[in-house]
Amino acid sequence: MKIALITGVSKGLGESIAKAFLESGIKVLGISRNENKRLRKIADKNNVSYQHYSCDLANMSGLEATIEQLKQDMDSHRPSLLYLINNAAIVEPINQVHQLDNEALLYHFQLNTVAPIILMNQMLHFTTIIDANFIGVNITSGAADRPIYGWGAYCSSKASINMYTRTAALEQEEQKTGQKIIAFNPGIMNTNMQQLIRSSSKEAFREVDKFKAYKEKNQLRDTDTVGGILIDILNDEASIENGKIYQVNEYF
Ligand SMILES: NC(=O)c1ccc[n+]([C@@H]2O[C@H](COP(=O)([O-])OP(=O)(O)OC[C@H]3O[C@@H](n4cnc5c(N)ncnc54)[C@H](OP(=O)(O)O)[C@@H]3O)[C@@H](O)[C@H]2O)c1
């Protein structure tokens, strides 16, 4: 049995990825603070199982308790292949670095960097113990590769997740375990995250007009299309390049 563990399934890209897995008959375990009732309906329609775990990934004790629960639940199913899609993330706080609030910064890095790394580490360990194949995906951003005025937190957390991806993949590659870890940059999409970006002040975020224009000119991609591209990459299992930072733009 194949299982997909996906974070941030209540909306946006995470919902689309979960939907695509369910439609291809793969059991989904979804994590987010709010439950997504649409996914349960899609699971029922496709006669496949969907389980939701309510968790604030920025809360360490909540994260650890959820991981223990996940391991117990998965142990009884003994998956042959586990996918982990680290998708949940936030862009805020948006501000010049010298004006960033300490608490907001801590929350940001716990959610965007620490939680995905811990989840990846734990699932790699778990699949090694139960002798299952593992493919881990960190959803990243173009912000990992270029400095953006006002996005000091987001550029840094996404750059960090890219380097983690490459390091974890290097270790698995050198040990010839067959376990794979990649990152996937989904490009600009029509989600709540973009809405929040457009509501920034120009003082905090210099490029705000450019992002408003993306929406006005209908340049934001649909999450189902982007999620489908990721599923196509994952389905071609033998071709997955360990440690690669996949760019959605190369698929259009
Ligand atoms: N949208 C874009 O243009 C764009 C561009 C490049 C990269 N990305 C990346 O793509 C991924 C998905 O973004 P999106 O645009 O789909 O975001 P979104 O619409 O804002 O959705 C974010 C998801 O993350 C979950 N989440 C947020 N805070 C959480 C927390 N503390 N604990 C658990 N879950 C939490 C949310 O669920 P709850 O609120 O229910 O917890 C939601 O399901 C992110 O990694 C983002 O960085 C997006």
Side-chain angles (χ1 to χ4, degrees):
M1 169 193 261
K2 294 180 183 176
I3 297 183
L5 171 58
I6 308 164
T7 68
V9 287
S10 64
K11 55 187 180 237
L13 180 62
E15 175 178 9
S16 292
I17 295 170
K19 199 163 72 170
F21 272 119
L22 290 170
E23 284 169 351
S24 53
I26 293 175
K27 177 184 170 77
V28 169
L29 309 177
I31 306 177
S32 50
R33 290 165 302 180
N34 302 291
E35 179 155 16
N36 182 331
K37 299 251 163 55
R38 293 178 294 274
L39 289 177
R40 196 162 296 287
K41 283 189 188 147
I42 292 166
D44 290 345
K45 200 173 146 197
N46 289 277
N47 207 17
V48 61
S49 153
Y50 171 70
Q51 207 167 332
H52 182 257
Y53 297 78
S54 282
C55 173
D56 181 346
L57 292 164
N59 176 295
M60 186 58 94
S61 53
L63 170 64
E64 286 175 338
T66 302
I67 289 173
E68 281 319 302
Q69 189 62 55
L70 280 162
K71 284 183 188 169
Q72 275 179 32
D73 294 349
M74 278 193 284
D75 209 24
S76 56
H77 295 291
R78 289 273 152 177
S80 54
L81 169 62
L82 174 68
Y83 297 101
L84 166 63
I85 317 291
N86 274 323
N87 162 77
I90 49 173
V91 65
E92 64 270 33
I94 295 177
N95 217 335
Q96 298 166 47
V97 292
H98 67 282
Q99 288 176 339
L100 289 175
D101 173 74
N102 294 346
E103 281 300 315
L105 205 54
L106 195 61
Y107 189 91
H108 178 99
F109 277 91
Q110 171 72 30
L111 177 64
N112 284 22
T113 307
V114 179
I117 288 177
I118 288 178
L119 267 169
M120 194 69 78
N121 295 348
Q122 295 284 319
M123 292 307 133
L124 252 175
H125 187 238
F126 176 71
T127 47
T128 304
I129 287 172
I130 64 165
D131 197 23
N133 293 324
F134 178 76
I135 300 176
V137 181
N138 289 314
I139 302 298
T140 184
S141 162
D145 300 319
R146 74 173 181 106
I148 300 172
Y149 190 110
W151 286 15
Y154 190 66
C155 290
S156 309
S157 64
K158 290 298 187 182
S160 163
I161 212 68
N162 281 7
M163 189 49 87
Y164 166 82
T165 302
R166 293 170 59 198
T167 308
L170 171 92
E171 291 174 359
Q172 297 304 310
E173 208 50 31
E174 290 200 2
Q175 291 171 48
K176 301 193 185 343
T177 62
Q179 315 291 59
K180 292 186 173 177
I181 300 106
I182 61 169
F184 176 71
N185 170 15
I188 46 170
M189 301 172 293
N190 194 15
T191 68
N192 278 34
M193 183 179 277
Q194 284 289 333
Q195 208 173 334
L196 193 138
I197 292 167
R198 290 193 298 274
S199 69
S200 307
S201 72
K202 203 163 185 173
E203 194 192 13
F205 177 43
R206 281 256 166 100
E207 297 184 24
V208 67
D209 289 341
K210 184 166 121 187
F211 279 72
K212 283 178 181 167
Y214 287 149
K215 175 74 174 165
E216 283 155 16
K217 293 179 186 162
N218 215 14
Q219 289 172 336
L220 297 174
R221 288 207 180 100
D222 158 65
T223 55
D224 282 353
T225 308
V226 175
I229 289 169
L230 175 61
I231 298 295
D232 287 346
I233 293 169
L234 297 178
N235 281 340
D236 191 3
E237 214 177 306
S239 306
I240 298 174
E241 222 177 289
N242 219 351
K244 180 171 174 175
I245 315 293
Y246 285 80
Q247 307 288 338
V248 79
N249 289 346
E250 289 170 13
Y251 295 81
F252 286 95

